[in-house]
Amino acid sequence: MRVYGVTGWKNAGKTGLMERLVAEITARGFSVSTVKHAHHSFDVDHPGKDSHRHRVAGASEVILASRTRVAQMTELRGTEEPALADLLARLAPVDLVLIEGYKRDTHPKVEAWRAETGNPLIAPGDPHIRAVASDTPMDLDRPVFDLNDTRAVADFILGEVGLM
């Protein structure tokens, strides 16, 4: 499976770039799935709904299905967070999986970076960051794209994974 990541510090523009990349790449006729890492507790379920009631009652996994979508929720209940490779193995085959976050994993990535955050670049110390998408021009040892030039970033990623 072809995978490529978008990483960076909080408020660097990762989610916006991911959203634009999915739209751009799917518009070119490729199928795309995404994996997003969250460093905090999150919930996609709502109290009072049947699926939430099943989870609260102790179900390890709940699958919610309809004619338009299927959602699977897994309660870890104190077990370790699954490795990225294990999550990728759960996905149906697609042309490309875009991964948001997972700074420390070894898949190829583009770093999203905004000057206003005041955070240092991750790229200089990480050979898995193959390019930077920035709101500020910079001179680096790898390609630098304008953070808002989605087409150029998509071209780079598709070239890197052999889809162009």
Side-chain angles (χ1 to χ4, degrees):
M1 190 173 320
R2 294 173 176 101
V3 300
Y4 218 91
V6 173
T7 195
W9 300 109
K10 184 178 179 180
N11 296 320
K14 298 181 302 291
T15 302
L17 180 57
M18 284 281 292
E19 180 181 11
R20 294 189 312 274
L21 285 170
V22 170
E24 175 71 25
I25 294 169
T26 58
R28 296 183 190 194
F30 296 107
S31 57
V32 177
S33 289
T34 65
V35 176
K36 182 192 179 347
H37 189 257
H39 289 284
H40 47 81
S41 181
F42 68 92
D43 203 340
V44 295
D45 210 357
H46 303 285
K49 295 293 184 182
D50 294 349
S51 54
H52 187 268
R53 292 171 62 190
H54 296 183
R55 285 180 34 227
V56 170
S60 296
E61 292 187 309
V62 175
I63 295 178
L64 184 59
S66 75
R67 282 185 289 167
T68 56
R69 94 186 27 93
V70 174
Q72 180 177 358
M73 293 168 282
T74 304
E75 287 295 314
L76 297 179
R77 302 204 189 279
T79 61
E80 265 189 55
E81 178 180 342
L84 178 58
D86 295 332
L87 297 173
L88 292 171
R90 295 180 184 187
L91 294 174
V94 292
D95 295 316
L96 177 64
V97 177
L98 289 174
I99 300 166
E100 181 177 344
Y102 289 94
K103 282 187 209 68
R104 291 168 188 82
D105 280 78
T106 59
H107 57 282
K109 306 172 196 70
V110 170
E111 179 178 357
W113 190 82
R114 284 192 176 138
E116 69 187 34
T117 66
N119 290 315
L121 270 173
I122 301 167
D126 186 344
H128 303 292
I129 295 177
R130 306 290 307 263
V132 174
S134 172
D135 65 349
T136 305
M138 55 181 65
D139 185 28
L140 289 178
D141 62 347
R142 60 201 84 192
V144 177
F145 300 98
D146 183 298
L147 184 58
N148 295 310
D149 191 349
T150 307
R151 177 177 276 286
V153 177
D155 287 346
F156 177 79
I157 291 172
L158 292 173
E160 286 269 295
V161 299
L163 289 174
M164 236 178 101

